[in-house]
Amino acid sequence: MTLLILKNLVLVLIIAQIFISTDAKIVAQLNQPLGKEYTTDMRAFLKTTQLMKEGKNFYPAFYEGMAGLRSGNFHPDINAWRQPFIFYLWKILPIYPLWQLLLVAIIICAYLITKNILSPLILWPYLHYSLVDLTILQPEWWGMAFLVFGLCAKTYKKHYLSGLFFLLALMCRELFIIPIFFITLPKFKIYFKFYILFFIYYIFHLANIFNFQTEWFRNYSNGDWRTLHSIFAYSSWNYFFGVYRPFVILFIFTLFFSFIKRKNLFLLATFLPFFIFTVVMATFGKIDATRDYWSIYFIPLLLISAPALISPPGKT
């Protein structure tokens, strides 16, 4: 009983921190109209949302928003585009308070997935960065939220609800198909219909972006394996000894103990496949340090999973 009270207290304190951490400067920036030129992708995404609120459809709004980032020129390949779902969500609902509510749900789901209070406790510092920087407008954060919700639902065998959340994650960023595929593989028949829905949606998306002189893929090879340094550094500054790359240490320990103890191994599917994909892309120079935000695809799931994979049975 005392342990249960302590767990609930920890959850309450973390949730309180989500609202205490409200950053007035970021809230102001989200509500400040942008001019014709600006810096960073996040401001381009904000400009896109503002143009949509003025009545433009997503595709011309995104094209104009990204052109403002590049001094009037935007010659994209398909990776440079984002999908419309999350932008329509931002158009309809206030971004910052909506994200705070999603963070509350992420923290609760993190505990429900593993029943280990360390999961939300070590996850929260990573999530904090999204509240104090315009990175809140990275669609990857929002896709990660839906991925966590889907994983939580799947843990409790709510497969159709899980499939809906996974679909929303894919509609934020298509690369979430990597963890989602391995998470759903044991029950693939149940989730197959959600893949079909996503592919129909994505074909519609491709048909629209090719109206804007979009290329398929560009040959890019400016990065190298050292990109992994930036990816593991992302949002680590909120941790003690963050300069020593605690995520790398946690990753190694988690793999070591999970293969020794061989329990809760299904959690490996939440972060290991995307890590391997990232290593391959970095090694062949296909991503550079500007993709440090790829951390969002797998580090939060590592932080959720690690306590369940490392801790002795019954220790929560």
Side-chain angles (χ1 to χ4, degrees):
M1 186 66 177
T2 303
L3 183 58
L4 179 60
I5 294 173
L6 182 60
K7 290 179 182 179
N8 289 334
L9 179 61
V10 171
L11 288 174
V12 169
L13 290 175
I14 295 173
I15 290 170
Q17 280 293 315
I18 291 172
F19 296 100
I20 292 171
S21 299
T22 299
D23 191 313
K25 290 183 180 179
I26 299 302
V27 174
Q29 288 183 53
L30 291 171
N31 292 293
Q32 180 180 352
L34 291 171
K36 292 184 177 181
E37 294 186 9
Y38 30 82
T39 58
T40 79
D41 285 354
M42 278 68 75
R43 286 186 173 84
F45 300 159
L46 179 58
K47 181 66 173 181
T48 300
T49 306
Q50 292 174 352
L51 290 170
M52 291 171 67
K53 289 180 178 179
E54 293 172 5
K56 286 198 173 186
N57 290 327
F58 166 73
Y59 293 98
F62 187 86
Y63 189 86
E64 183 177 336
M66 294 301 288
L69 175 62
R70 293 168 172 81
S71 301
N73 298 309
F74 180 48
H75 302 293
D77 64 359
I78 61 174
N79 291 318
W81 283 88
R82 299 298 185 268
Q83 298 177 53
F85 164 69
I86 196 65
F87 290 86
Y88 280 106
L89 195 63
W90 294 341
K91 174 186 175 182
I92 297 168
L93 298 172
I95 296 171
Y96 201 92
L98 175 60
W99 179 240
Q100 287 179 307
L101 292 176
L102 290 183
L103 285 179
V104 171
I106 291 170
I107 291 298
I108 294 172
C109 286
Y111 173 69
L112 292 176
I113 290 167
T114 65
K115 290 297 181 70
N116 191 315
I117 197 60
L118 289 177
S119 292
L121 194 61
I122 65 174
L123 174 64
W124 161 238
Y126 185 93
L127 300 177
H128 179 264
Y129 179 48
S130 67
L131 289 173
V132 298
D133 190 272
L134 278 181
T135 187
I136 190 176
L137 293 172
Q138 291 278 18
E140 286 77 7
W141 284 110
W142 301 73
M144 178 273 297
F146 293 122
L147 176 62
V148 172
F149 303 158
L151 179 61
C152 184
K154 185 178 183 299
T155 301
Y156 291 89
K157 303 186 187 305
K158 307 295 183 182
H159 295 296
Y160 286 98
L161 180 61
S162 174
L164 176 61
F165 282 128
F166 288 152
L167 177 61
L168 293 177
L170 291 170
M171 291 169 67
C172 290
R173 284 300 266 156
E174 56 272 27
L175 282 179
F176 279 109
I177 199 167
I178 295 171
I180 289 173
F181 173 77
F182 286 97
I183 291 169
T184 59
L185 191 57
K187 299 283 185 181
F188 189 78
K189 287 184 179 180
I190 296 176
Y191 291 94
F192 182 73
K193 59 179 70 68
F194 295 101
Y195 285 102
I196 295 299
L197 289 173
F198 171 69
F199 286 126
I200 292 172
Y201 162 84
Y202 197 69
I203 289 170
F204 168 81
H205 171 67
L206 291 177
N208 277 276
I209 67 176
F210 281 110
N211 290 325
F212 295 87
Q213 299 179 329
T214 301
E215 300 177 28
W216 275 100
F217 297 101
R218 290 207 181 101
N219 187 21
Y220 179 90
S221 58
N222 292 334
D224 58 35
W225 63 270
R226 287 170 290 189
T227 298
L228 296 173
H229 175 83
S230 299
I231 291 172
F232 275 107
Y234 189 86
S235 197
S236 65
W237 41 82
N238 286 320
Y239 294 83
F240 290 114
F241 307 110
V243 69
Y244 297 109
R245 302 295 175 261
F247 301 150
V248 176
I249 298 170
L250 181 64
F251 181 81
I252 294 171
F253 268 82
T254 300
L255 287 186
F256 177 76
F257 282 103
S258 63
F259 286 121
I260 288 178
K261 297 184 177 183
R262 298 186 178 276
K263 65 184 184 71
N264 298 321
L265 290 182
F266 73 96
L267 290 171
L268 289 175
T270 67
F271 64 89
L272 188 56
F274 200 92
F275 167 75
I276 294 171
F277 174 72
T278 302
V279 169
V280 171
M281 294 293 283
T283 302
F284 286 95
K286 299 303 181 182
I287 57 174
D288 61 16
T290 63
R291 301 293 179 92
D292 58 353
Y293 63 88
W294 273 29
S295 167
I296 302 170
Y297 284 106
F298 68 95
I299 293 295
L301 282 303
L302 167 64
L303 296 171
I304 291 171
S305 303
L309 290 167
I310 293 175
S311 64
K315 298 293 184 182
T316 60

